[in-house]
């Protein structure tokens, strides 16, 4: 079993992972934000955040525009997201296709910061071409043909099992 270290701003994610994995889980505290996406802005953790580094950052985003970049719901959130991104070696962004071509309030950074983008089949072919031309790996998650089993491995209808990462590597 993987016994890594996970840092999150989401109380829900922290609780779930602490119950379901042997990983050490740190919750970055701060002001609670959002009703649909409950988490903290990590404002009470800035000093601690300045001391930490990690291999892979998994981040949900509010909006992505190919020209204007990744944007967040507030200036404070954008600043904290940028700091979190800067502390990691690899950025994996997760967002549904409805967030493409939209803007939120404050700029987190350019699309070129992204290493891997995980989205749904609704993403436009033009966006996929533009992202891949910038060296971003695009992963289309298709809920109809795959699911994550209880052992943490993705099981596809094609009969293959795909690893979901070991903390140091994101599996292909």
């Amino acid at each position: 079993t993987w016994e890594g270290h996970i840092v999150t701003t989401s109380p829900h994610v922290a609780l779930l992972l602490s119950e379901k994995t042997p990983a050490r889980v740190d919750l970055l505290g701060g002001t609670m934000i959002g009703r649909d996406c409950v988490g903290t802005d990590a404002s009470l953790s800035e000093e601690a955040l300045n001391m930490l580094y990690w291999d892979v950052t998994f981040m949900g985003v509010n909006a992505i525009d190919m020209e204007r970049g990744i944007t967040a719901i507030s200036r404070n959130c954008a600043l904290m997201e940028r700091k979190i991104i800067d502390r990691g070696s690899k950025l994996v962004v997760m967002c549904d296709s409805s967030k493409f071509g939209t803007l939120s309030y404050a700029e987190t950074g350019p699309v070129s910061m992204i290493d891997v983008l995980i989205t749904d089949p609704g993403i436009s072919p033009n966006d996929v071409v533009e992202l891949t031309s910038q060296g971003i790996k695009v992963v289309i998650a298709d809920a109809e043909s795959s699911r994550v089993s209880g052992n943490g491995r993705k099981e596809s209808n094609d009969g293959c099992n795909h690893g979901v990462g070991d903390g140091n590597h994101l599996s292909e």
Side-chain angles (χ1 to χ4, degrees), residues 57 59 80-88 91 108 113:
T57 303
M59 181 175 286
M80 195 55 61
E81 286 176 2
R82 182 59 181 253
K83 183 170 286 225
I84 289 169
I85 291 167
D86 289 345
R87 305 308 278 184
L91 175 61
T108 297
M113 298 174 73

Side-chain angles (χ1 to χ4, degrees), residues 24-40:
R24 191 170 94 211
V25 180
D26 286 343
L27 176 64
L28 295 176
T31 303
M32 293 294 289
I33 54 172
R35 288 196 168 107
D36 296 327
C37 182
V38 176
T40 71

Side-chain angles (χ1 to χ4, degrees), residues 59-128:
M59 181 175 286
V61 298
N62 293 99
I64 295 180
D65 181 82
M66 296 307 288
E67 292 180 22
R68 296 187 181 166
I70 302 165
T71 53
I73 61 172
S74 74
R75 185 182 70 80
N76 286 342
C77 286
L79 290 170
M80 195 55 61
E81 286 176 2
R82 182 59 181 253
K83 183 170 286 225
I84 289 169
I85 291 167
D86 289 345
R87 305 308 278 184
S89 300
K90 184 175 196 170
L91 175 61
V92 178
V93 166
M94 303 164 290
C95 72
D96 66 79
S97 59
S98 70
K99 296 181 180 181
F100 284 89
T102 65
L103 293 172
S104 197
Y105 180 70
E107 180 183 348
T108 297
V111 172
S112 61
M113 298 174 73
I114 302 169
D115 295 298
V116 178
L117 176 89
I118 301 172
T119 191
D120 62 79
I123 187 171
S124 80
N126 290 340
D127 284 338
V128 173

Side-chain angles (χ1 to χ4, degrees), residues 35 38 129 138 151:
R35 288 196 168 107
V38 176
V129 168
V138 177
N151 65 8

Side-chain angles (χ1 to χ4, degrees), residues 11-23:
H12 176 72
V13 169
L15 183 60
L16 182 68
L17 291 172
S18 66
E19 291 174 348
K20 304 285 184 185
T21 72

